[in-house]
Amino acid sequence: MTDESIKTLTGISDLGEAWKSVFPGITADSVIGIKVNCLFQISTHHQFTYRLVNSLTQMQFGSEYFKANNIIIWDNQDNLLQNNGGYTIYDGSDPDTVRCFGTNHPGVGYNYGQPLNVNGVASYPSHILATLCDYMINAGVIKDHSISQITLTMKNNYGSVNNPGSLHAGQCNPSIPSLNQQIRDVIDPPDIQKIFIIDALIGCYSGGPGGAPNFYPNMVLMSFDPVAIDAQGQNLINEERALHGLSPYNAPHITTAAQSPYNLGTTDINLIEIINPGVEEYTVEHH
């Protein structure tokens, strides 16, 4: 699903070249971060994220392939990655292994020299985002949320700063768009988030963000536009809610994110092309 999605999204049939097109100027020494969401029961699956790592290492530079060690899987806390996500925290001993750690990992922390102005609130970005990575992949989950209505890729960045609890006023609107705009415009290099992915293998249409999985889209969504992908994720949740007689969500932060001064993407259905390459299920027989 991951490989077919990126080839379809980029229109490039060679897997490594497809990924290289996502990261302008990438070299063999560049560092790619994958920001996952491991808060509560529904986390970005480690099986999916490790598959994503394998896919990224198909990028070739001369005779060498992109190193897994140049990829950092991260969230704000080691224990969330380990206990909720099932990830293995990198101990620094194997140069061929993908790195994985939280902002609270020893020697990491937040960059208090670079405040982000999130709707008037000073928020400090993780050093993983602010200083360790050249490119970022936003790999969120699909679930509803008791305050923001929806948590997908844009809200995933609440785990990228030191004070997510301070950013929930007004249904997180306009704090979610403001934070994403600040990450785009203030973090160096600018526009560090290159692709937005939703692990929609399982989700939660009611009872989120802490609730158990209760619907199963069995999808991976990818886009270069965080507003378009979150709008589509909201559509999937609303389709499921309709099946259970629940009213639809219309999360205000998704609408705000498309508008000035944020201009993070579009919700205009005439500008959004949805392509489903279709991946057949198969079983592997063991002999």
Side-chain angles (χ1 to χ4, degrees):
M1 291 167 76
T2 304
D3 296 352
E4 290 304 315
S5 294
I6 194 61
K7 289 191 287 187
T8 302
L9 182 63
T10 59
I12 299 172
S13 58
D14 180 274
L15 182 58
E17 292 302 313
W19 279 117
K20 283 168 77 171
S21 75
V22 173
F23 309 109
I26 191 169
T27 70
D29 299 319
S30 298
V31 177
I32 299 172
I34 304 175
K35 170 61 177 75
V36 295
N37 182 346
C38 293
L39 193 60
F40 305 121
Q41 297 184 60
I42 299 176
S43 299
T44 314
H45 287 84
H46 64 267
Q47 298 94 331
F48 165 74
T49 310
Y50 290 139
R51 176 61 239 170
L52 184 56
V53 169
N54 290 343
S55 195
L56 290 165
T57 57
Q58 302 309 303
M59 291 187 287
Q60 199 166 355
F61 300 88
S63 60
E64 62 177 314
Y65 286 92
F66 194 70
K67 295 182 179 65
N69 201 238
N70 285 10
I71 301 169
I72 302 174
I73 300 167
W74 68 285
D75 203 348
N76 53 359
Q77 298 178 33
D78 279 355
N79 65 304
L80 296 180
L81 286 160
Q82 254 181 318
N83 299 335
N84 292 356
Y87 293 91
T88 302
I89 301 301
Y90 181 69
D91 61 8
S93 63
D94 184 354
D96 298 321
T97 300
V98 63
R99 289 181 279 168
C100 177
F101 46 81
T103 303
N104 72 340
H105 194 74
V108 185
Y110 294 95
N111 183 4
Y112 289 103
Q114 187 176 43
L116 304 178
N117 179 1
V118 181
N119 191 35
V121 177
S123 298
Y124 297 94
S126 169
H127 269 299
I128 303 167
L129 171 65
T131 58
L132 295 183
C133 295
D134 302 299
Y135 307 94
M136 197 63 64
I137 294 173
N138 184 322
V141 295
I142 183 165
K143 51 190 177 182
D144 74 328
H145 193 282
S146 54
I147 298 173
S148 62
Q149 295 193 14
I150 299 292
T151 176
L152 298 155
T153 68
M154 288 189 287
K155 193 173 184 303
N156 186 24
N157 276 318
Y158 271 35
S160 303
V161 292
N162 70 313
N163 59 343
S166 303
L167 307 176
H168 282 76
Q171 296 182 298
C172 305
N173 184 52
S175 292
I176 291 174
S178 180
L179 173 58
N180 281 270
Q181 174 266 320
Q182 288 283 290
I183 289 172
R184 180 189 66 192
D185 298 342
V186 177
I187 297 291
D188 187 35
D191 202 21
I192 191 170
Q193 296 188 99
K194 294 302 182 190
I195 188 168
F196 302 86
I197 302 175
I198 296 174
D199 170 0
L201 299 174
I202 64 173
C204 182
Y205 70 88
S206 177
N214 53 21
F215 85 116
Y216 303 88
N218 291 316
M219 293 182 186
V220 172
L221 282 65
M222 288 187 183
S223 181
F224 300 126
D225 182 326
V227 182
I229 195 172
D230 281 13
Q232 179 61 13
Q234 180 172 254
N235 289 341
L236 290 174
I237 288 174
N238 283 340
E239 287 172 10
E240 188 69 20
R241 288 176 66 80
L243 294 176
H244 299 272
L246 297 174
S247 58
Y249 286 124
N250 185 17
H253 72 262
I254 295 178
T255 304
T256 300
Q259 299 169 346
S260 180
Y262 307 108
N263 303 312
L264 291 164
T266 186
T267 56
D268 184 347
I269 195 64
N270 297 311
L271 299 176
I272 299 172
E273 182 183 13
I274 298 173
I275 311 168
N276 183 1
V279 178
E280 293 183 11
E281 294 183 28
Y282 63 94
T283 56
V284 178
E285 292 185 15
H286 296 280
H287 296 286

